[in-house]
Amino acid sequence: MKKIYLYGNWKMNMTVAETKKFFEDFAPVYAQFKNDSGLEVGVFAPFTSLWAAAEGAKANGVVFGAENIYFEPKGAFTGEVSIPMVKETGATHVILGHSERRHIFGESDELVAKKTKAALDAGLIPVFCYGETLDERESGHTFDVMTRQLDAILKILSPDEIRKVIYAYEPVWAIGTGKSATSEQAQEVCEWSRKLIKDPNVVILYGGSVKGSNAKELLSMKDIDGALVGGASLKPASFIEIYAEYKK
Ligand code: 13P
């Protein structure tokens, strides 16, 4: 049985009060799977809620991380948050290259690669997101775009570092739309990614409208090791339901 990674990306949701409430509700829902060694749960919180997430994550035995970082350790970078600041909370992971960072905030492949390298150098595990837009898919450029996004990190990381990264394939057209990729589409890209990365053992997640009703077909695919979940991760019941449905 493969291990399943169930990671929740809270995006710009969850105040401190809401984070505390989430973990109060989370404990009873998660209890049935708490000792399941085939599951790793993680939550990714906004910076201001990281300390509250740290407390909740520790109490429940789940991992947690930030949704972004800047690659410089400190200095005149108004509005940015450094890796040491994030690590101080006890966070072990960080989401990098999410399509919302790439497309809304203009993060380039090079910037995402610099952040990925800096995170690894500091001992944070990057959850590296990549994926194509609808236009890119429909014009037949899915694999060119993803080759460019992945090559930006593969060319600067050592084989050991490449192995430590958690990859998350998130087709932009499936994010927040309720329209997930089919399990065949997601499997095709994850299998292709594993070959491009040239390491059969890397962890590759799928993200984009994952919920209880499509969890089993997606997570049962051979090259999909788990899910990066947006909307459904904001409530413990809909978040954990994803794994419960997979196990059925
Ligand atoms: P949704 O699950 O809301 O589609 O979001 C996916 C995502 O962007 C996770 O990073």
Side-chain angles (χ1 to χ4, degrees):
M1 282 293 278
K2 67 180 176 185
K3 178 171 165 181
I4 293 289
Y5 294 75
L6 180 63
Y7 282 1
N9 173 10
W10 287 352
K11 309 192 177 185
M12 199 174 74
N13 297 292
M14 297 297 210
T15 61
V16 170
E18 287 164 345
T19 301
K20 288 183 177 164
K21 173 80 170 81
F22 175 93
F23 279 109
E24 273 167 35
D25 297 344
F26 182 80
V29 174
Y30 182 51
Q32 60 178 318
F33 298 121
K34 201 172 169 157
N35 297 318
D36 186 335
S37 59
L39 172 65
E40 177 172 304
V41 173
V43 297
F44 293 79
F47 294 126
T48 50
S49 295
L50 274 178
W51 285 99
E55 207 175 295
K58 206 168 150 196
N60 287 281
V62 302
V63 306
F64 79 101
E67 300 172 14
N68 187 23
I69 44 96
Y70 194 57
F71 61 85
E72 293 286 0
K74 62 178 176 176
F77 303 101
T78 302
E80 292 298 309
V81 173
S82 73
I83 295 170
M85 291 167 183
V86 162
K87 284 194 73 178
E88 194 179 26
T89 68
T92 48
H93 291 57
V94 60
I95 293 176
L96 293 172
H98 191 278
S99 68
E100 288 146 20
R101 300 290 331 158
R102 292 179 190 267
H103 296 293
I104 304 175
F105 301 102
E107 291 199 11
S108 65
D109 293 331
E110 290 65 37
L111 178 60
V112 176
K114 268 189 178 170
K115 291 181 175 193
T116 306
K117 176 77 177 122
L120 286 162
D121 286 346
L124 272 185
I125 300 173
V127 178
F128 174 85
C129 305
Y130 62 102
E132 82 288 3
T133 63
L134 187 59
D135 274 359
E136 289 160 349
R137 176 163 280 264
E138 287 179 345
S139 61
H141 290 110
T142 299
F143 293 96
D144 305 338
V145 169
M146 290 187 304
T147 301
R148 197 198 69 222
Q149 292 173 334
L150 282 162
D151 273 353
I153 63 165
L154 297 177
K155 71 180 183 201
I156 62 164
L157 301 181
S158 69
D160 196 40
E161 289 170 330
I162 288 170
R163 199 168 306 131
K164 286 185 184 144
V165 174
I166 293 177
Y167 300 83
Y169 168 54
E170 299 207 316
V172 181
W173 47 272
I175 295 176
T177 59
K179 183 178 178 286
S180 155
T182 65
S183 49
E184 290 76 20
Q185 285 171 322
Q187 162 62 24
E188 180 190 28
V189 171
C190 292
E191 182 180 9
W192 169 89
S193 308
R194 209 177 284 287
K195 285 189 187 133
L196 185 88
I197 297 164
K198 295 197 182 74
D199 187 327
N201 298 317
V202 290
V203 174
I204 307 181
L205 316 181
Y206 165 77
S209 298
V210 179
K211 46 190 181 261
S213 58
N214 57 21
K216 189 160 181 96
E217 51 177 326
L218 285 163
L219 298 180
S220 300
M221 300 311 281
K222 181 174 159 291
D223 286 288
I224 302 178
D225 296 305
L228 185 56
V229 185
S233 74
L234 297 175
K235 293 269 182 292
S238 49
F239 189 34
I240 295 304
E241 184 194 358
I242 292 169
Y243 186 68
E245 287 295 327
Y246 165 71
K247 289 292 277 184
K248 270 187 190 164

